Structures are given as structure tokens and as C-alpha cells.
Amino acid sequence: MDDLRDKYLGLIAEANDESALENLRVQAVGKKGEISLKMRELGKMTPEERQIAGPALNALKDEINSALSAKKAGLEDAALDERLRGEWLDVTLPGRSRRHGTIHPISQVTEEVSAIFADMGFAVAEGPQIDSDWYNFDALNIPGHHPARAEMDTFYMHRSEGDDRPPHVLRTHTSPVQIRSMEKQGAPIRIIAPGRVYRADYDQTHTPMFHQVEGLAIDKDISMANLKWVLEEFVKAYFEVDDVELRFRASHFPFTEPSAEVDIRCSWEGGTLKVGEGDDWLEILGSGMVHPKVLQNAGVDPREWQGFAFGMGIDRIAMLKYGIPDLRAFFDSDLRWLRHYGFSALDVPTLHGGLSG
Ligand code: 2U9
């Protein structure tokens, strides 16, 4: 019996996986196992012999069963340890940083401006960047002899000889969008039209492609007073100041009458712009009451409807707010520029909530 005990405890100690252990269990204490066979022999023994051998065999069976369980638990622990060694993770290590792209200042400012006007009930309208000279000029009361229509300022689409379709241009302002919107939905209307525009001009303050946002509000009794309030609210929200003083200077545009250029009070102390204080004035937009002829050209009856329009350069107000010195860098600079002046994707403005993130 001691031989049997030594044999099986030895084999169990040496087993190194669960299936080997199971084989040993069947071989030792299974129905036809060595110990079970020995137990069957008890019947042939004398009562005295049986009284000694019976309990001894039961004890041996118990001992082997507990050795099997202990070994099984040991193998499971070892397997777990092995797995954990492979999956070891230092949660105190700093995260691996991934290179994120950034939002271009033009996109950021377009979103900011759209969110501010959306809060005042303006919808965003879009239109084609190549348009007919009717939508870009005539409908806006800009006559054929106007200098803006000269090839020097406007990019005209090439036409082959004999092609008599009306001339098309790269739009020089987003105003055609408002004409098309009025044609489509009529009055009343409250929209802004942000987007790319093109003029043949290139120096430190002009690029041949730049961005504008124009606004239009047409209703039964809209006046310059409404224009003034809307622009004040816009300037305060955009430059994030509680108060600002606007100066309306009489001006002339073919598409508005009367027309005004709008300056904001500011200071440039220490080279940085402060809006709403100081003795300087900064021109940021043009505006006026939409010319009756323009309303008529867009299919809106000027005897019934009137309203204001305004326009400003997105690139320019982006430079002013975010201290970007050279306009040309917007469109021909490298990724280092974008990493410096770009915005995180989390900084996009939300409606009714100011800036998130
Ligand atoms: C319609 C009627 C009127 C839009 C207007 C201006 C004045 C203006 C400039 C600002 C700086 C262009 O980017 S800029 O160079 N714009 O001064 N724009 S009123 O007037 C409209 C537009 C559409 C149907």
C-alpha cells in the first residue's frame, strides 16, 4: 500500500498539465483504477484484515484525491501567473501621444461667426464659386463699366471663340448667394453667406482667394437701427468683450443705399489689439440698406420689403482676433504654422453655449 501511495504521489507531483492529472485520477481512483480494484479485494479478506486494510485504503484514496486537487489548483495558478507576466501593464506610464491634425483658423472663425449669427436667427446659405456675371454683378446693381468688372480685378472663365454662353467669373464676393437665396425662398429672409471669393490681387494684405461672410435680413420694417444692434451683438460676441463702440461712416456700394463702413473702437497698446477701449478705430466691415433695384433683381418687391446687408473679410477678422501677422501665411505655409495657429477639434463653437471645451 505504501508503494501505491509513493507511486501516485510521485506521479502527481511530476504531472505538468491537467490532462496528465486526469489520466492519473482514472488510473488510481477511477472505477477500474488500482485503488478501486484493491477495495474490491476487501471482500475476500478476513474481518481482522479488512478492519485494517479498509480504513487504510479509504485514507489512501482521500490522500490521492486531495493531492490531485492541490496539484490541479497549483497548475491553474501557474497558468494564470504565466498569462499575467505576458499581459503586464504599467498603468503609470505616460500615454503614447498621437499626432492630431488641427482646425485651420479660417474654418474655426467661420464656425464661430456662424454660431453667433445662428443665435440671432440667421441661417447659413451657400452657393457656387463660379457664377454668371449676372449673379455676381448685374443683379447687384454693379454696371458693366464698373472697375470691379475689369479683367484686372476679376477672374473670368475662358470662353472659346463662338461660345456665346453668358460670361462666368470666379465670384468676387458671396453676394450672388443672397440673390439666389432670395429668388428661391423670397422674403422674409435672414441668412449669412460665408465662403471663398476671388480677386486678382496679391500683396501683404490681399490674396487672390480669400474668405468673406455676408449677411442679409429682409422683412417688412427692418431699418439701420436693426443693423446697428445686430453688428454690435456680433462684435461683442466675436471679440469676447462686454461693451464696444461702433462708428458708422457714410460710404458707397452699388448694392446698398444708404451705405456705411463700420469701425470699432480699439487700442493697439504694446502691439496687441484690444477691442472696446482706446483711441483708435478699426474698420471691420461694410454695410447698408439693400438697394431697391437689388431686391427687384432677386424677385422681391421693394415696395413691400426692405432690409440690411453687410460684408466682412473672414481672414481679416481671424488675423485680428488671433494675432496672425501675415495674410499670405494662411494659404502657403507649412504644418508648423498650422500647429501653431490651428485649433483643437474640441474648440469648435456650439449653438447657445458659447465655446465648448
Ligand atoms: C445683397 C445685397 C447687398 C453686402 C455688403 C459690403 C457692404 C462690404 C466688404 C467688406 C470687406 C467686402 O471682404 S470685403 O472686402 N463688403 O463692404 N458688403 S454691403 O451687400 C449685399 C450683399 C448681397 C443681395
Side-chain angles (χ1 to χ4, degrees), residues 106-115 117-118 122-129 171 173-178 181 190-197 209-216 234 310-315 317:
I106 297 291
S107 308
Q108 171 76 19
V109 167
T110 303
E111 291 295 318
E112 290 179 20
V113 169
S114 302
F117 282 109
F122 288 76
V124 172
E126 288 179 311
Q129 296 184 36
R171 67 182 184 194
H173 41 199
T174 60
S175 317
V177 175
Q178 286 107 289
S181 300
R190 247 191 274 181
I191 49 171
I192 59 163
R196 290 183 169 172
V197 299
M209 186 277 293
F210 63 106
H211 301 79
Q212 278 190 337
V213 57
E214 291 193 339
L216 177 75
F234 166 72
F310 58 86
M312 67 190 124
I314 292 179
D315 320 65
I317 63 167

Side-chain angles (χ1 to χ4, degrees), residues 54-91:
L57 277 172
N58 270 331
L60 178 58
K61 189 177 176 185
D62 288 348
E63 196 178 356
I64 287 179
N65 271 329
S66 43
L68 283 165
S69 317
K71 180 69 183 184
K72 189 171 177 217
L75 284 175
E76 281 168 358
D77 281 354
L80 183 62
D81 282 349
E82 181 66 23
R83 217 183 85 206
L84 289 178
R85 254 195 302 282
E87 290 175 6
W88 185 82
L89 181 71
D90 183 354
V91 294

Side-chain angles (χ1 to χ4, degrees), residues 139-140 173-176 178-179 182 197 199 210-216 253 255-256 259-261 283-288 290-291 294 298 308-314 316:
L140 286 149
H173 41 199
T174 60
S175 317
Q178 286 107 289
I179 299 288
M182 279 192 282
V197 299
R199 290 181 198 177
F210 63 106
H211 301 79
Q212 278 190 337
V213 57
E214 291 193 339
L216 177 75
F253 306 110
F255 30 80
T256 48
S259 305
E261 281 170 297
E283 183 187 329
I284 61 155
L285 46 85
S287 65
V290 177
H291 197 293
V294 174
F308 64 75
F310 58 86
M312 67 190 124
I314 292 179
R316 181 166 153 74

Side-chain angles (χ1 to χ4, degrees), residues 79 176 260 339:
R339 235 167 257 141

